[in-house]
C-alpha cells in the first residue's frame, strides 16, 4: 500500500491537491457503432472505462473555476506530464 | 483576526489582453482569478477594459479581511499545503483550511494579507482561526 | 496458505489444466466460486473451471467491508438481497464451515427532514417486499447504539433512522474458502495465478478462453470479474455500462467496548461496524475519478475520519491500523448486471460495485441456475444487461455507492 496524494498542476493557479478539482470525463463512442439507436445507447450508458492512459477534464473548483485537460493513467493515477 | 466583512467587488470577464491592459481604479486590489476573469475590490466603470464583449458586474458574494502578514503566515503554515508566492504584491488561490480561499499579499511596505472567502464559508473560516 | 487456514479448509487444487470444460468461470472471487459451488451442488455440473489471475479472494472479495443487508430501495433489489441475506444465514449449515456470520442490526441514520423521508420510505418498501426494516426515533436509536452522538457534533443532528434488524456480517475470506472448498470437493477445478488473455471464437460464439496456461475450450464462459470487467468484455467487442472506481476503507486498533450494530449515514457518506477482533471498520464512498489503482490516500483518511468522528466521537481516541482500496465495477444504475450478454455463450455477473459481498450466495445460486437451465431465473431477470437498451434501468438509491 502506498499512501500518497494525487496533485494536479493548474496552468493558472499552480500545483494543487486533487481535492480542489472536480473530475469530468470526455465520452467516447467507438466509430464502429454506427446505427443511431446504438450510438444513443452507448452515449447514455456505456463506458470505455480504459485501463491505461485516459485524456480527461478537471475543473478547478477551489481556484480559477476553469476546466483543464490532462492525461492520467487509471492503473496508477500517475499524470505523465504532471508538474506536481 | 476580525471576522471577514462583505466586499463590494466588480467581476470582469474579458479577453486576457484586455484584462492585462486595463486601467484599474487607483489603489484597488485586483485579483486575477483566471486568465479571462478579474475580481476587483472596488466599483469599476464599464469602459475600464477595451474588450467590447466584456462582462462587468457587481459581485457581493465574497467577504474579506486584512490580516497582518505574520499572523497570516502562521495560519497558512497550519492550514495550507501548497506553495505560497514569495514576490510582492501577489495573488494566490486554492484550498486553505479546506475552503476555497483567495489571498492577496500586499506590496512591500504594506505588510498585510487580504483573505477573500465566499460568504457562505465565512462561519467555517472564522472557526478555523480559533 | 498458512497452517491455520489449512485447518479451516480442505482445498483440493487440480494437478493440471484440462483442455476443455463444460463451464469456464473467469474470476475466483466470491461470485465466481459461489457460481461454481451451486453448479456442482445443485445441478451436478462439475466439469467446471474457475480461472483466477491472482489467488482466490484477492480482488474485491478480500477488499470489502463484509456488510450483509437487504434494505435496498427498489422491489426487485429488496427481493434479491433478502434472498441472499437468508442464504447467508444458512451458509454455515450448508457448507459445514464457520464463516463467522453474525447478525448485528443496521441503523441507517437521517440528519435532515429529507433524510427522514428517505428512511421512512426505505422502511416501507423493505417491509412490503419481505425484508424487515422499521423507522425508529432518536430514543430508540440511542438504545440500539449508545455511542452515537445524537447532536452529530452540533452539525449533523440525528433526526431518526431506519433499522434493519437482520443486517449482518461474515468473515470475507472464510466465505470465499467455504465456497471454493465445497466446489473443489465435487471436482471443480480452481486455477490460481492464471490470467485470461483472450477469447476463443467460432463466428460470433465464444467457445473458450486463452489463458496464461494455454487455451481452454468451454461450453459456456462466465465472467465473474470485478473491476476489470470492461477490459475483459472489450476483448469480444462488448460494451458495458460500467465504470471502475476506487473504494477505500480502514480499520482502527481495538475498541475495548462492544459495538453492536452496523451504523450507516448517507448524509455523511460513512458507515461503521466492529468485526470480531474488536477493531472498528470504517468505510466511505467511492472516489469520483475512475481508476484501477490500489493506492490509498491520506485525504480519504482525513475526511473519512472527520465524518465518522462526528457520528461516533469515541473514534477520536483510536488509531488507524490498516487502510485498503478495492476497485469497484460501478454500473450506470447502481444495480448489478447478471445474465446473457448478446455474445453467444458468454454470460456476465458484474456491476457488483460496492454491494457485491452481500450478494455472493444469491448471485452464485441464480447464475448457476441460469447456466444449468439456459433460462434466466425470475429473481434476476430484472438485472439483465439488455435493460439499458429497453428503458428498464434499475436505479436504486438504496445502493448508495458505499456498502
Amino acid at each position: 500500500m502506498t499512501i500518497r496524494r494525487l496533485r494536479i498542476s493548474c496552468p493558472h493557479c499552480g500545483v494543487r491537491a486533487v481535492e480542489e478539482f472536480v473530475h469530468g470525463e470526455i465520452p467516447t463512442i467507438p466509430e464502429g457503432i454506427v446505427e443511431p439507436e446504438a450510438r444513443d445507447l452507448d452515449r447514455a450508458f456505456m463506458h470505455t472505462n480504459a485501463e491505461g492512459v485516459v485524456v480527461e477534464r478537471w475543473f478547478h473548483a477551489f481556484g480559477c473555476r476553469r476546466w483543464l485537460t490532462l492525461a492520467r493513467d487509471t492503473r496508477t493515477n500517475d499524470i505523465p506530464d504532471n508538474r506536481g | 483576526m476580525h471576522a471577514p466583512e462583505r466586499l463590494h467587488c466588480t467581476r470582469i470577464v474579458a479577453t486576457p489582453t484586455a484584462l492585462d491592459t486595463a486601467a484599474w481604479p487607483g489603489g484597488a486590489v485586483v485579483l486575477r482569478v483566471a486568465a479571462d476573469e478579474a475580481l476587483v475590490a472596488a466599483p469599476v466603470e464599464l469602459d475600464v477594459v477595451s474588450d467590447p464583449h466584456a462582462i462587468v458586474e457587481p459581485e457581493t458574494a465574497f467577504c474579506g479581511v486584512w490580516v497582518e502578514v505574520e499572523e497570516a503566515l502562521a495560519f497558512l503554515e497550519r492550514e495550507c499545503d501548497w506553495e505560497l508566492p514569495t514576490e510582492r504584491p501577489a495573488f494566490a488561490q486554492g484550498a486553505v483550511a479546506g475552503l476555497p480561499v483567495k489571498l492577496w499579499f500586499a506590496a512591500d511596505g504594506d505588510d498585510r494579507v487580504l483573505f477573500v472567502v465566499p460568504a457562505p464559508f465565512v462561519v467555517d473560516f472564522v472557526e478555523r482561526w480559533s | 496458505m498458512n497452517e491455520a487456514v489449512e485447518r479451516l479448509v480442505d482445498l483440493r487444487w487440480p494437478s493440471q489444466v484440462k483442455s476443455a470444460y463444460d463451464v469456464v468461470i473467469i474470476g475466483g472471487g466470491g461470485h465466481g466460486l459461489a457460481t461454481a459451488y451451486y453448479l456442482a451442488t445443485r445441478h451436478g455440473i462439475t466439469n467446471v473451471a474457475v480461472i483466477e489471475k491472482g489467488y482466490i479472494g484477492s480482488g474485491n472479495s478480500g477488499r470489502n467491508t463484509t456488510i450483509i443487508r437487504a434494505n435496498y430501495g427498489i422491489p426487485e433489489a429488496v427481493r434479491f438481497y433478502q434472498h441472499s441475506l437468508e442464504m447467508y444465514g444458512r451458509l454455515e449449515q450448508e457448507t459445514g464451515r464457520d464463516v463467522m456470520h453474525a447478525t448485528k442490526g443496521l441503523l441507517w441514520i437521517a440528519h435532515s427532514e429529507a433524510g427522514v423521508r428517505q428512511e421512512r420510505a426505505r422502511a416501507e418498501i423493505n417491509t412490503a417486499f419481505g425484508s424487515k426494516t422499521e423507522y425508529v426515533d432518536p430514543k430508540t436509536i440511542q438504545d440500539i447504539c449508545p455511542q452515537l452522538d445524537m447532536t452529530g457534533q452540533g452539525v449533523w443532528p440525528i433526526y431518526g433512522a431506519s433499522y434493519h434488524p437482520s443486517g449482518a456480517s461474515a468473515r470475507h475470506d472464510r466465505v470465499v474458502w467455504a465456497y471454493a472448498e465445497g466446489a473443489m470437493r465435487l471436482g471443480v477445478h480452481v486455477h490460481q495465478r492464471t490470467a485470461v488473455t483472450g477469447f476463443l471464437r467460432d463466428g460470433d460464439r465464444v467457445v473458450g478462453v486463452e489463458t496464461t496456461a494455454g487455451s481452454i475450450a468451454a461450453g459456456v464462459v462466465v465472467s465473474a470479474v470485478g473491476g476489470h470487467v470492461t477490459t475483459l468484455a472489450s476483448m469480444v467487442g462488448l460494451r458495458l455500462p460500467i465504470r471502475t472506481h476506487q473504494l477505500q476503507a480502514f480499520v482502527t486498533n481495538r475498541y475495548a467496548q462492544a459495538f453492536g450494530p452496523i451504523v450507516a449515514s448517507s448524509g455523511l457518506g460513512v458507515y461503521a461496524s466492529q468485526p470480531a477482533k474488536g477493531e472498528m471498520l470504517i468505510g466511505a464512498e467511492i472516489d469520483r475519478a475512475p481508476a484501477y489503482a490500489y493506492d490509498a490516500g491520506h485525504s480519504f483518511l482525513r475526511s473519512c475520519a472527520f465524518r465518522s468522528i462526528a457520528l461516533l466521537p469515541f473514534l477520536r481516541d483510536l488509531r488507524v491500523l490498516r487502510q485498503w482500496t478495492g476497485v469497484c465495477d460501478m454500473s450506470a444504475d447502481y444495480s448489478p448486471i447478471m445474465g446473457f450478454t448478446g455474445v453467444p455463450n458468454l454470460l456476465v455477473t458484474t456491476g457488483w460495485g460496492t454491494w457485491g459481498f452481500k450478494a455472493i450466495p444469491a448471485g452464485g445460486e441464480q447464475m448457476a441456475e441460469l447456466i444449468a437451465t439456459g433460462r434466466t431465473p425470475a429473481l434476476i431477470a430484472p438485472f439483465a444487461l439488455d435493460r439499458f437498451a429497453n428503458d428498464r434501468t434499475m436505479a436504486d438509491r438504496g445502493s448508495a455507492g458505499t456498502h
Side-chain angles (χ1 to χ4, degrees):
Chain A
M1 181 184 78
T2 45
I3 295 260
R4 59 172 203 170
R5 302 191 68 184
L6 181 59
R7 296 172 84 82
I8 289 175
S9 176
C10 169
H12 185 76
C13 305
V15 176
R16 297 290 186 275
V18 69
E19 291 75 36
E20 294 197 11
F21 298 83
V22 176
H23 176 262
E25 220 165 319
I26 301 177
T28 49
I29 306 174
E31 283 177 18
I33 300 175
V34 289
E35 201 261 320
E37 281 208 6
R39 286 191 74 81
D40 284 350
L41 176 66
D42 203 276
R43 181 181 290 115
F45 294 117
M46 303 304 169
H47 303 288
T48 303
N49 198 28
E51 220 173 320
V53 176
V54 292
V55 176
E56 61 192 5
R57 305 273 280 161
W58 288 83
F59 179 70
H60 192 192
F62 275 56
C64 58
R65 302 191 65 79
R66 295 295 183 275
W67 289 91
L68 60 95
T69 304
L70 57 77
R72 177 178 61 101
D73 192 329
T74 60
R75 294 166 298 189
T76 56
N77 275 330
D78 285 336
I79 298 168
D81 62 351
N82 191 359
R83 282 160 291 165
Chain B
M1 191 217 43
H2 301 290
E5 286 172 13
R6 185 77 61 171
L7 291 177
H8 293 275
C9 301
T10 311
R11 183 191 291 275
I12 301 121
V13 179
T15 62
T17 322
L19 291 175
D20 288 344
T21 56
W24 305 112
V29 172
V30 180
L31 309 178
R32 190 66 176 271
V33 295
D36 58 355
E37 182 176 346
L39 193 64
V40 184
V44 170
E45 295 301 320
L46 267 175
D47 60 0
V48 73
V49 285
S50 57
D51 180 357
H53 304 294
I55 299 166
V56 180
E57 291 224 312
E59 175 63 85
T60 54
F62 293 94
C63 293
V65 61
W66 286 98
V67 181
E68 293 300 322
V69 74
E70 214 165 285
E71 189 188 358
L73 289 177
F75 176 69
L76 290 167
E77 171 77 23
R78 196 172 76 232
E79 298 288 358
C80 171
D81 70 350
W82 40 272
E83 215 172 306
L84 296 168
T86 48
E87 71 275 23
R88 299 286 183 268
F91 169 68
Q93 57 187 348
V96 173
L99 304 170
V101 171
K102 301 179 195 306
L103 302 170
W104 175 256
F105 296 86
D108 281 336
D110 180 3
D111 292 333
R112 296 183 304 160
V113 180
L114 175 65
F115 285 75
V116 178
V117 184
F121 295 131
V122 164
V123 174
D124 302 273
F125 181 76
V126 172
E127 204 171 86
R128 306 294 161 87
W129 278 83
S130 53
Chain C
M1 287 192 183
N2 61 34
E3 277 176 44
V5 173
E6 296 291 353
R7 280 199 299 277
L8 288 171
V9 273
D10 167 28
L11 297 173
R12 300 178 189 174
W13 301 106
S15 54
Q16 56 167 3
V17 182
K18 292 200 288 183
S19 60
Y21 294 91
D22 293 338
V23 182
V24 165
I25 297 166
I26 308 168
H31 281 274
L33 292 164
T35 302
Y37 174 89
Y38 291 111
L39 276 173
T41 56
R42 301 267 174 97
H43 305 282
I45 298 172
T46 57
N47 187 22
V48 175
V50 178
I51 313 288
E52 167 54 47
K53 73 173 176 181
Y55 57 90
I56 58 170
S58 59
N60 290 343
S61 295
R63 297 170 176 278
N64 61 86
T65 48
T66 71
I67 306 292
I68 300 165
R69 63 179 180 93
N71 54 347
Y72 276 69
I74 54 176
E76 297 84 348
V78 175
R79 279 197 204 102
F80 173 80
Y81 290 108
Q82 177 64 23
H83 179 59
S84 203
L85 182 145
E86 288 167 13
M87 287 181 74
Y88 257 121
R90 299 189 298 267
L91 190 58
E92 294 182 348
Q93 200 184 347
E94 160 136 20
T95 62
R97 288 300 179 189
D98 177 9
V99 297
M100 300 169 75
H101 179 274
T103 299
K104 300 180 162 184
L106 189 152
L107 275 173
W108 208 311
I109 290 164
H111 303 282
S112 64
E113 291 296 331
V116 165
R117 280 195 295 275
Q118 187 178 332
E119 296 317 315
R120 283 190 190 278
R122 191 196 301 274
E124 292 296 329
I125 199 163
N126 288 183
T127 306
F129 292 95
S131 179
K132 190 165 185 264
T133 303
E134 58 181 332
Y135 182 79
V136 288
D137 60 15
K139 168 84 181 56
T140 314
I141 295 171
Q142 272 201 296
D143 290 345
I144 295 168
C145 187
Q147 291 98 335
L148 278 169
D149 177 355
M150 299 303 287
T151 74
Q153 308 273 287
V155 184
W156 291 282
I158 295 173
Y159 281 34
S162 67
Y163 183 59
H164 183 45
S166 50
S169 72
R171 177 77 200 168
H172 53 88
D173 39 18
R174 290 200 181 188
V175 171
V176 167
W177 297 333
Y179 277 122
E181 177 187 52
M184 287 156 91
R185 197 178 272 160
L186 291 172
V188 168
H189 278 193
V190 178
H191 300 294
Q192 300 191 114
R193 313 237 173 253
T194 306
V196 168
T197 55
F199 287 91
L200 302 174
R201 307 291 293 272
D202 177 8
D204 271 0
R205 291 166 57 230
V206 165
V207 295
V209 289
E210 303 268 15
T211 76
T212 50
S215 298
I216 304 170
V220 177
V221 176
V222 184
S223 167
V225 171
H228 303 269
V229 66
T230 46
T231 306
L232 189 82
S234 71
M235 294 174 186
V236 286
L238 178 65
R239 302 269 287 170
L240 292 172
I242 299 279
R243 259 185 288 217
T244 299
H245 290 266
Q246 295 169 284
L247 179 71
Q248 301 185 51
F250 68 91
V251 288
T252 65
N253 54 352
R254 282 180 211 177
Y255 175 47
Q257 297 179 43
F259 185 87
I262 300 158
V263 171
S265 158
S266 295
L268 281 165
V270 293
Y271 58 102
S273 65
Q274 186 180 41
K277 275 189 287 184
E279 309 156 329
M280 288 303 296
L281 169 56
I282 316 285
E285 292 177 303
I286 54 168
D287 292 346
R288 291 292 145 191
Y292 295 85
Y294 285 125
D295 58 352
H298 167 252
S299 55
F300 156 78
L301 266 188
R302 192 169 57 172
S303 83
C304 187
F306 178 75
R307 286 175 287 150
S308 46
I309 287 170
L311 220 50
L312 299 163
F314 73 84
L315 292 173
R316 201 191 302 271
D317 299 325
L318 300 178
R319 293 289 174 268
V320 175
L321 194 66
R322 200 165 66 249
Q323 179 186 6
W324 67 91
T325 302
V327 294
C328 305
D329 38 334
M330 302 296 292
S331 61
D333 59 2
Y334 277 31
S335 284
I337 298 167
M338 284 177 274
F340 298 106
T341 60
V343 178
N345 297 357
L346 177 64
L347 306 176
V348 287
T349 174
T350 184
W352 289 112
T354 62
W355 45 85
F357 179 76
K358 64 182 68 63
I360 286 171
E365 177 201 52
Q366 300 288 304
M367 284 302 292
E369 186 179 332
L370 191 158
I371 295 160
T373 64
R375 289 187 305 276
T376 305
L379 194 62
I380 62 168
F383 301 109
L385 175 60
D386 64 11
R387 71 177 183 266
F388 293 94
N390 297 337
D391 284 344
R392 293 281 186 275
T393 53
M394 291 283 129
D396 191 346
R397 286 187 74 188
S399 240
T402 55
H403 61 293

